[in-house]
Amino acid sequence: MMNKQLRKAVIAGNWKMNKTPEETSALIAEIAPLAENAGCDVVVCVPYIDLHAALAATAGTNIRVGAQNCHWAGSGAFTGEVSAAMLAGMGVPYVIIGHSERRSLFGDSDGTVAKRTRAALDAGLIVILCVGEYIEQRELGITNEVVRLQTKVALKGVSEEELARVIIAYEPVWAIGTGLTATPGQANEVNHEIRVLVEELYGKTAADKLVVQYGGSMNAANAAELLAQEDIDGGLIGGASLKAADFGVIVKAASV
Ligand code: 13P
């Protein structure tokens, strides 16, 4: 058996700062029939204020709901923040952590990403951990080192048992929202490197089971080729996840 078949693909939409609760219900109603017979896991990661609507709209469907960040503290004087325990308490199963927009625009660092990951795992959530290099780093030939470092810091203290609730999303920053997609070969190479690192840290069985997504301008036209790569087990989709038909095509491409 090819190792890829040990893993179920996960297609996750990252809606970023888009959609009101009303629009959330409407978009999920459009996506649900397209995802109904999916052979992959399907997740929509929505803004905090849309979580309630998303949970209601996905009830009875095979679509799961995620948030896009969480704070590391359980509660306290952190105005404007939301804790992992709050998400878990409301029945949200997934959370994205360390997205490049959180890192570059809102001060997230490898250290805070590790703290958020700890809190999310403690709360019982499934973490979609984002890593990826800037274009300057790729040009310097240090992509693998950057991604290894980000991954290693975030996984510090994560047990092998907890790793089963971690998905890693490789998102080259230069490919996000730019229409510039990594070639299937480029994406697969870094995804493979992440799996090699996880094998070094946890052993082969854990590495074989680890879901490693690709993200960055994945769309209806390029998804099939990316998802066919040995080490690409799904996608984290921005722009194309806001169009039900396109998202449906990507879900289908991951279901073969
Ligand atoms: P785009 O698909 O819009 O490039 O965004 C990717 C992304 O950042 C998903 O988290």
Side-chain angles (χ1 to χ4, degrees):
M1 196 196 319
M2 298 256 294
N3 290 345
K4 191 175 174 73
Q5 283 156 273
L6 296 170
R7 307 180 283 271
K8 190 171 183 194
V10 180
I11 297 295
N14 173 8
W15 289 13
K16 308 194 179 183
M17 195 176 73
N18 291 288
K19 305 295 176 188
T20 63
E22 236 178 27
E23 291 166 344
T24 295
S25 309
L27 181 53
I28 290 172
E30 272 190 83
I31 293 171
L34 305 174
E36 203 171 30
N37 299 312
C40 60
D41 288 339
V42 181
V43 185
V44 290
C45 298
V46 304
Y48 290 132
I49 60 138
D50 295 328
L51 287 169
H52 187 75
L55 287 169
T58 55
T61 76
N62 58 335
I63 303 172
R64 300 280 83 90
V65 174
Q68 299 172 7
N69 188 29
C70 67
H71 197 266
W72 53 82
S75 62
F78 300 103
T79 303
E81 294 295 300
V82 170
S83 75
M86 289 170 175
L87 296 174
M90 123 178 243
V92 172
Y94 287 81
V95 63
I96 296 173
I97 290 180
H99 191 276
S100 71
E101 287 147 20
R102 299 298 322 172
R103 293 176 190 257
S104 67
L105 303 172
F106 302 103
D108 229 354
S109 65
D110 289 342
T112 55
V113 167
K115 285 163 69 172
R116 294 181 208 278
T117 301
R118 179 76 265 145
L121 291 173
D122 284 345
L125 299 177
I126 300 169
V127 172
I128 301 177
L129 168 68
C130 300
V131 296
E133 82 286 5
Y134 288 101
I135 189 65
E136 296 80 6
Q137 295 169 323
R138 175 161 284 269
E139 286 167 357
L140 279 169
I142 58 170
T143 296
N144 286 351
E145 284 95 326
V146 168
V147 168
R148 284 178 69 98
L149 184 72
Q150 290 173 333
T151 307
K152 204 165 178 177
V153 175
L155 293 182
K156 184 146 176 55
V158 172
S159 70
E160 185 179 343
E161 196 188 351
E162 289 170 329
L163 189 72
R165 284 189 285 116
V166 177
I167 292 168
I168 299 183
Y170 167 53
E171 298 206 303
V173 181
W174 49 271
I176 295 177
T178 57
L180 288 174
T181 315
T183 64
Q186 284 174 325
N188 192 62
E189 185 191 339
V190 182
N191 278 34
H192 181 72
E193 190 63 29
I194 292 167
R195 200 178 309 285
V196 167
L197 170 67
V198 167
E199 181 171 350
E200 288 165 20
L201 297 173
Y202 296 92
K204 184 161 166 35
T205 308
D208 276 345
K209 282 195 244 163
L210 180 76
V211 171
V212 188
Q213 299 174 317
Y214 167 78
S217 299
M218 191 187 270
N219 58 39
N222 62 25
E225 203 186 347
L226 287 159
L227 294 167
Q229 302 296 309
E230 171 67 23
D231 283 295
I232 302 182
D233 312 310
L236 186 55
I237 328 291
S241 74
L242 296 169
K243 299 175 202 140
D246 291 23
F247 193 62
V249 170
I250 298 169
V251 166
K252 210 167 171 193
S255 300
V256 290

